[in-house]
Amino acid sequence: MQDSHKPDLDDSLNVTESHERLLRDAAAVAREKRVDEGGQEPVSNWIFATGGLIAIAAGLALGHAGGLFDYHSYVEPGYVRSSLGGGEDAGPPPVDALKGYMAKGEKVFAKCVGCHGPDGKGGGAYPSLAGSEWAMGPTERFSQIVLNGLTGPTSTGKVFGVMPAQGVGMSPTDLASVMTYVRNSFGNEKGEVVTEGMAAKAIEISEGRANAGTPVTKEELNSEHLQDLPGEPLDPATKVDPVSLAPVEE
Ligand code: HEC
């Protein structure tokens, strides 16, 4: 007669055994699965290769037609992906382009403050940037003043002297942001962003000037640079990285 309170040795052995059997079965199933897949490998590779080629061909065809697989319809050129998730290495949160360019531009404007003043109003030997036709007008003209300096009459016809070139060591981002800052400060309200791409063009144009290395004159400005810089304008509300000013996907 068996004591029901006493653990049954046989039973507990059985438990271990069935446990082991379970593990064995699971391993066998996994093995079989691998073998199965292995067995089908040549076929599936074939299918994948053929299917892949068809997909690529179709993608190219559609892509050329501006259709389904056109990368640019999903990701705009020049955009970078913001880091996913709110992890520790996620950078500072994106800001509106206008705000980001203005903040950076205020720092670059330190180059100009000594002459044009923190309020941009100039005074004495320096012209005001508040309401300046050449700061507010076509972006190519403004950019060439900043990069090369200016001599002779200013936009008002008044001659102050010579503004020295400011382009040395100025990155496209610096130039774009300081131009954006001037065009949206001191009462100036363009509401537009001069982009890094436009500023890069400005630097190219400056380097290609016939009289590169000398300050621009009113005559040159109005005969050769009386236009906006080429480049895609950036919606002021586009989200950008506050440091690099590169647009980010959200
Ligand atoms: C060393 C002094 C000095 C610095 C620094 C300087 N400027 Fe000037 N700027 C001048 C002078 C002087 C003129 C007028 C030159 C003339 O009479 O031809 C001028 C003219 C201008 C004009 C033309 C204004 C008009 O309406 O005709 C603009 C725009 C301008 N500066 C922008 C800037 C910006 C932006 C910076 C900084 C990146 C800057 N300047 C840095 C001295 C300076």
Side-chain angles (χ1 to χ4, degrees):
M1 196 53 196
Q2 200 173 308
D3 182 348
S4 60
H5 293 291
K6 191 176 142 226
D8 185 328
L9 197 58
D10 263 9
D11 268 5
S12 59
L13 273 178
N14 284 346
V15 167
T16 316
E17 206 175 72
S18 60
H19 203 161
E20 274 172 353
R21 199 167 47 238
L22 256 176
L23 289 175
R24 264 199 314 275
D25 288 351
V29 167
R31 248 193 331 272
E32 256 162 42
K33 221 174 150 212
R34 275 201 299 276
V35 168
D36 254 33
E37 280 166 1
Q40 282 176 9
E41 224 158 60
V43 178
S44 32
N45 273 353
W46 235 130
I47 293 171
F48 275 124
T50 319
L53 281 177
I54 291 170
I56 289 166
L60 283 176
L62 283 168
H64 275 290
L68 221 51
F69 292 108
D70 188 359
Y71 174 77
H72 293 296
S73 62
Y74 297 100
V75 180
E76 288 194 46
Y79 275 51
V80 296
R81 206 171 274 277
S82 64
S83 57
L84 293 172
E88 277 173 22
D89 59 351
V95 294
D96 285 359
L98 187 56
K99 201 176 160 213
Y101 273 77
M102 288 289 285
K104 169 106 184 165
E106 187 175 9
K107 291 187 189 138
V108 180
F109 192 72
K111 270 177 164 280
C112 329
V113 162
C115 298
H116 294 285
D119 62 358
K121 300 249 162 48
Y126 306 106
S128 175
L129 302 179
S132 155
E133 188 195 332
W134 288 356
M136 296 288 277
T139 47
E140 182 176 322
R141 182 170 62 186
F142 180 20
S143 71
Q144 298 309 303
I145 296 172
V146 177
L147 290 172
N148 300 286
L150 173 71
T151 184
T154 56
S155 63
T156 58
K158 194 171 169 191
V159 180
F160 292 82
V162 179
M163 168 173 154
Q166 303 295 309
V168 177
M170 221 186 232
S171 70
T173 312
D174 292 343
L175 177 59
S177 58
V178 80
M179 287 176 68
T180 302
Y181 178 73
V182 169
R183 287 158 75 85
N184 293 286
S185 303
F186 328 128
N188 298 344
E189 282 183 9
K190 268 292 182 188
E192 284 170 10
V193 172
V194 177
T195 66
E196 194 190 342
M198 291 160 76
K201 279 283 172 200
I203 292 169
E204 261 177 46
I205 292 167
S206 171
E207 286 167 356
R209 285 174 63 223
N211 37 2
T214 65
V216 291
T217 59
K218 177 175 187 167
E219 197 196 7
E220 181 189 334
L221 288 174
N222 288 341
S223 62
E224 292 182 40
H225 306 296
L226 199 55
Q227 57 244 327
D228 279 322
L229 289 162
E232 286 297 303
L234 191 60
D235 184 330
T238 307
K239 295 290 182 211
V240 300
D241 180 281
V243 179
S244 71
L245 301 185
V248 293
E249 266 181 35
E250 284 195 285

